[in-house]
Amino acid sequence: MRSSFPSDFAWGTATSAYQIEGAAQEDGKGVSIWDRFSHQPGAIEDGSTGDVACDHYHRLESDLDLLVKLGINAYRFSIAWPRVQPLGQGAWNPQGLDFYDRLVDGLLQRGITPHATLYHWDLPQTLQDMGGWANRDTCQYFAEYARTIATRLGDRVKAFATHNEPFVSAMLGNLMGIHAPGLKDAKTASQIAHHILLSHGMAVRAMRAATKADLGIVLNLSPTTPATSSQADQDKAEQEFAFVSRWYLDPLFRGTYPSTPAPIPLPDVQTGDMALIQQPIDFLGINYYFRDWCSTDTPPIPAPCKQGCSEMGWEIYPEGIYELLTKINREYKLPALYISENGVACADSIADDGLVHDAQRIRFIEDHLHELKRAIAEGVDVRGYFYWSLMDNFEWSKGFAMRFGLIHIDYPTQQRTFKDSALWYRDYIQRERFGAQQKEATL
Ligand code: FCB
């Protein structure tokens, strides 16, 4: 096995707009479905909202300096659609566009490569009022937004992802009702998943004409493991993989929906939709957090959880990143891949010595990188790794209780503290980037 990652590997961290920016009602920003949802009583477990979050909007320059201290060479962020186009159609907000200009320029000045995501779940509320993603017109508005951002930032951003995790947008928001907009309707959720994919295709087409940047999409993918070798458990594992992963991989890379039975109705698909969705893209971003453990027993046989569980209750299973990558690499004809998110929530706190000793996170990253290296050694074309997240932030329905960051945030004071894992990640990257170059130079 090769001893190091490719020398031009992207070493990064990831964030998203609603989770860190705050400034929810400033400088002309429009209201998003998350602004609306988080203010509904009972929607967020700890009663919090993203109104202030990490106040990143006001701390842009000093936060960018933290990236330099971290030694990363790539940063994945998202653009809040309602910040740049408050109503989701029509007028643009110059102050919003300006913020992302400054973000991109600030990264480049610091030698860090910008990777932007256009939609990390914060739909303009006015579009939701017209039906949101269930309304096919939203796809057209999204393509217009994508074209404008590509025109504005596409000379400096290396890669644009259209969507983050269409499965989660569609299903947690519209089937399970635990994310914005908080709906529980299977037929609507299915149609929304289709429209999100369609909007991806329309956006890619619109952006190609405006930028030479790489274009792609980010999916949450999980390998599935049957709890026993019974046929029922195996079938369940295949159905679960189809519902969460193939439902998105197949349209993007095969131009069809899987024939495996789905737990929700099929969407209405119009002529030409599948060709639009399937058009070539330059990269696929993969968010890997856990495997899906599939048991048909009652009560279900629990996952072994040998390596522990995170604060989210997610099984820590580093081998899954290897299993997933090698599986999809065998089964699909894929473009370049990135691990666009991978991370763990720990019960972090500042110790008496003023530091945060998050040994569990260090182990988590180290083990996942080991498994990632194994997949790369076997020929999977992975170009970068983005730890989720740069800093603790607003973890959707869980609020601020879940801490995923390399950097600890004390919310009342907004003080930033590097956790042990941040220093460890910095040293790891340093060895990989410069150790590898030294080795090459001496050959
Ligand atoms: C992913 C989301 C990201 C973050 C992590 C923990 O599903 O893309 O915003 O919340 O989970």
Side-chain angles (χ1 to χ4, degrees):
M1 178 168 133
R2 63 180 298 156
S3 60
S4 56
F5 287 91
S7 56
D8 56 353
F9 200 70
W11 290 105
T13 60
T15 61
S16 89
Y18 187 68
Q19 293 177 277
I20 65 165
E21 284 180 4
Q25 290 171 47
E26 278 178 58
D27 290 349
K29 177 180 167 292
V31 175
S32 81
I33 56 174
W34 269 96
D35 292 316
R36 179 66 58 87
F37 182 73
S38 65
H39 278 264
Q40 282 168 19
I44 310 300
E45 285 178 25
D46 65 0
S48 61
T49 73
D51 286 3
V52 177
C54 307
D55 197 32
H56 172 69
Y57 185 78
H58 295 120
R59 293 163 194 261
L60 179 61
E61 291 296 324
S62 52
D63 280 349
L64 292 178
D65 289 341
L66 299 178
L67 302 184
V68 177
K69 287 202 186 128
L70 205 48
I72 57 179
N73 61 3
Y75 176 60
R76 173 173 176 244
F77 62 96
S78 84
I79 295 167
W81 184 357
R83 193 178 289 293
V84 299
Q85 194 182 29
L87 303 180
Q89 55 171 315
W92 299 94
N93 177 24
Q95 296 176 93
L97 289 166
D98 207 56
F99 173 72
Y100 295 108
D101 255 337
R102 285 189 282 123
L103 170 48
V104 168
D105 288 343
L107 288 169
L108 293 175
Q109 280 155 14
R110 291 167 175 82
I112 299 167
T113 306
H115 290 244
T117 300
L118 296 178
Y119 187 78
H120 204 123
W121 309 350
D122 38 5
L123 187 74
Q125 180 62 40
T126 41
L127 294 187
Q128 185 62 42
D129 296 340
M130 293 157 50
W133 288 109
N135 179 353
R136 210 177 148 96
D137 293 346
T138 299
C139 304
Q140 192 52 51
Y141 298 135
F142 181 70
E144 277 307 311
Y145 156 61
R147 186 204 312 275
T148 300
I149 296 298
T151 306
R152 178 83 178 219
L153 303 178
D155 55 337
R156 287 160 289 153
V157 166
K158 175 176 167 59
F160 288 101
T162 52
H163 280 274
N164 179 69
E165 303 189 348
F167 170 86
V168 176
S169 293
M171 300 306 154
L172 274 66
N174 301 278
L175 178 67
M176 296 161 65
I178 57 172
H179 278 190
L183 304 178
K184 290 185 186 170
D185 185 274
K187 176 68 190 167
T188 307
S190 164
Q191 197 59 42
I192 284 177
H194 179 66
H195 284 163
I196 288 178
L197 286 169
L198 179 64
S199 77
H200 154 81
M202 291 167 63
V204 167
R205 191 177 58 182
M207 292 169 91
R208 286 280 181 219
T211 178
K212 293 195 170 60
D214 293 342
L215 305 179
I217 189 167
V218 169
L219 302 179
N220 56 295
L221 301 177
S222 290
T224 55
T225 308
T228 71
S229 56
S230 75
Q231 195 58 46
D233 284 355
Q234 288 184 42
D235 290 350
K236 183 162 185 199
E238 188 41 54
Q239 283 166 16
E240 187 67 14
F241 190 69
F243 181 52
V244 176
S245 300
R246 291 198 201 283
W247 206 261
Y248 304 87
L249 289 167
D250 282 20
L252 288 164
F253 302 112
R254 292 178 179 161
T256 56
Y257 281 106
S259 52
T260 320
I264 58 173
L266 300 180
D268 299 328
V269 176
Q270 295 187 12
T271 315
D273 286 3
M274 300 314 286
L276 254 178
I277 296 171
Q278 196 201 357
Q279 72 189 278
I281 50 176
D282 307 307
F283 72 92
L284 170 66
I286 297 170
N287 294 352
Y288 172 72
Y289 286 95
F290 48 77
R291 66 173 161 178
D292 278 339
W293 180 258
C294 301
S295 168
T296 49
D297 277 32
T298 19
I301 300 172
C305 239
K306 281 195 283 247
Q307 298 164 79
C309 270
S310 72
E311 286 290 293
M312 294 288 285
W314 296 345
E315 184 196 4
I316 296 176
Y317 186 63
E319 297 89 336
I321 203 168
Y322 170 85
E323 290 169 12
L324 173 75
L325 287 170
T326 49
K327 176 183 172 76
I328 62 172
N329 194 50
R330 270 194 311 272
E331 296 186 9
Y332 294 87
K333 201 172 162 348
L334 298 171
L337 304 178
Y338 288 92
I339 298 300
S340 35
E341 285 179 31
N342 173 236
V344 62
C346 305
D348 301 319
S349 60
I350 306 226
D352 290 344
D353 58 7
L355 303 172
V356 181
H357 302 300
D358 57 341
Q360 188 192 22
R361 179 171 291 105
I362 295 178
R363 173 91 197 275
F364 179 97
I365 305 175
E366 187 168 27
D367 291 350
H368 282 77
L369 287 175
H370 176 78
E371 294 295 325
L372 175 58
K373 210 193 283 189
R374 244 171 22 105
I376 295 175
E378 289 185 22
V380 185
D381 181 12
V382 182
R383 307 277 175 94
Y385 175 87
F386 294 81
Y387 178 77
W388 181 274
S389 178
L390 169 65
M391 51 189 158
D392 296 337
N393 58 45
F394 179 78
E395 178 47 35
W396 308 114
S397 59
K398 301 278 183 190
F400 293 107
M402 293 297 141
R403 294 183 177 271
F404 276 90
L406 294 172
I407 296 174
H408 180 275
I409 304 277
D410 177 58
Y411 292 103
T413 62
Q414 289 293 344
Q415 186 168 332
R416 276 92 165 119
T417 305
F418 273 52
K419 300 180 190 176
D420 288 354
S421 58
L423 305 173
W424 177 88
Y425 191 47
R426 177 196 65 191
D427 292 347
Y428 187 99
I429 296 172
Q430 189 80 7
R431 274 198 308 277
E432 283 294 334
R433 284 179 68 192
F434 302 110
Q437 265 174 30
Q438 275 161 14
K439 255 182 270 157
E440 275 162 29
T442 53
L443 282 179

